Amino acid sequence: MNMNTKNWSDISSDPISEETIRALHRPQENFKLYTNTYEAGKSFSAKAGHMFVLYVLTGSCKTTVGDSEVTLHPSEFITLEKGTYAFDVLGSEELKLVKVFSLS
């Protein structure tokens, strides 16, 4: 599994936001976007039946898949395979994520 994070600035010169992420994934009917916000210090899980891209708008989090641990910071993203992931919100800032699933 590829657990490498990427920087938003590598793919866009615009600031990261739900709108700029949505503009990247066109045509709109081929993608489903979900925005979620989590309080500092919380743990949560995400279950996906399809591969997806996870973008971090604010805050930081970490996830462990098998033996790999990945920390994501603002303006970073990662492509994850289908499966269930456990996340921990790091630091004192609220975490805001955008998950993008391809429907095609």
Side-chain angles (χ1 to χ4, degrees):
M1 175 173 294
N2 181 4
M3 295 296 291
N4 295 321
T5 61
K6 298 177 183 163
N7 291 306
W8 176 257
S9 61
D10 293 339
I11 62 169
S12 178
S13 59
D14 294 321
I16 191 170
S17 68
E18 185 176 344
E19 293 75 25
T20 55
I21 293 168
R22 191 175 299 279
L24 185 66
H25 296 279
R26 296 275 183 201
Q28 184 176 344
E29 59 271 10
N30 288 353
F31 298 94
K32 184 72 176 169
L33 276 77
Y34 296 95
T35 302
N36 300 100
T37 304
Y38 303 94
E39 295 177 21
K42 296 291 182 180
S43 295
F44 64 96
S45 63
K47 184 175 181 179
H50 302 281
M51 182 173 21
F52 65 104
V53 183
L54 181 72
Y55 297 90
V56 179
L57 298 180
T58 62
S60 296
C61 64
K62 72 175 180 177
T63 186
T64 303
V65 180
D67 294 334
S68 300
E69 182 175 284
V70 173
T71 301
L72 294 157
H73 302 285
S75 298
E76 291 184 338
F77 66 98
I78 190 168
T79 301
L80 296 169
E81 299 292 330
K82 69 179 181 176
T84 301
Y85 299 89
F87 292 88
D88 295 310
V89 181
L90 303 175
S92 59
E93 188 178 0
E94 178 180 83
L95 175 68
K96 187 170 184 179
L97 303 173
V98 176
K99 293 177 271 188
V100 180
F101 296 88
S102 175
L103 301 177
S104 56

